[in-house]
């Protein structure tokens, strides 16, 4: 997805942020740091999507919470993708439990 990386690098060039995280929906997310190669995070396979409402919000919230708890940016993004994946398996705007997210983190593929 060169266009995703190019757009993220353009954003990086405009300001003082150190990284951009791009949600790719069902394809996961891209982490594009200013001074390092991009990382692509692929969500674990799931049987059924119940609702996509709030899945992006869940991803961002999990990234922020993980960073506040001392995780690296890469690990925080991995947790974010797991949280977004957990969210799509629940009806409406229900919150995934920490246990649901924990069970998916190790299944998030990092490339």
């Amino acid at each position: 997805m060169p266009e995703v990386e190019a757009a993220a690098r353009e954003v990086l060039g405009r300001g003082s942020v150190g990284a951009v995280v791009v949600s790719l929906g069902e394809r996961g997310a891209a982490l594009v740091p200013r001074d390092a190669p991009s990382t692509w995070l692929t969500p674990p396979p799931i049987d059924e999507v119940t609702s996509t409402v709030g899945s992006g919000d869940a991803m961002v919230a999990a990234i922020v919470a993980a960073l506040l708890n001392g995780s690296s940016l890469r690990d925080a993004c991995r947790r974010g993708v797991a949280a977004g994946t957990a969210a799509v398996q629940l009806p409406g705007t229900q919150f995934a439990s920490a246990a649901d997210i924990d069970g998916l983190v190790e299944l998030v593929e990092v490339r």
Side-chain angles (χ1 to χ4, degrees):
M1 289 177 251
E3 69 281 356
V4 171
E5 185 170 6
R9 296 227 175 262
E10 182 178 330
V11 170
L12 287 169
R14 292 181 182 181
S16 60
V17 297
V20 172
V21 178
V22 181
S23 172
L24 302 172
E26 67 187 18
R27 294 176 296 167
L31 165 59
V32 184
R34 178 179 299 282
D35 299 321
S38 297
T39 300
W40 303 91
L41 301 106
T42 305
I46 57 173
D47 293 329
E48 182 179 342
V49 172
T50 302
S51 172
T52 60
V53 174
S55 61
D57 296 331
M59 182 183 90
V60 171
I63 291 170
V64 170
L67 289 171
L68 289 173
N69 285 313
S71 291
S72 70
L73 184 54
R74 179 180 160 164
D75 287 345
C77 289
R78 194 172 188 195
R79 185 157 188 83
V81 169
T85 301
V88 301
Q89 297 178 76
L90 299 170
T93 57
Q94 283 187 352
F95 293 113
S97 70
D100 292 336
I101 296 167
D102 291 343
L104 294 172
V105 170
E106 294 302 319
L107 301 175
V108 174
E109 184 181 325
V110 179
R111 300 180 274 124

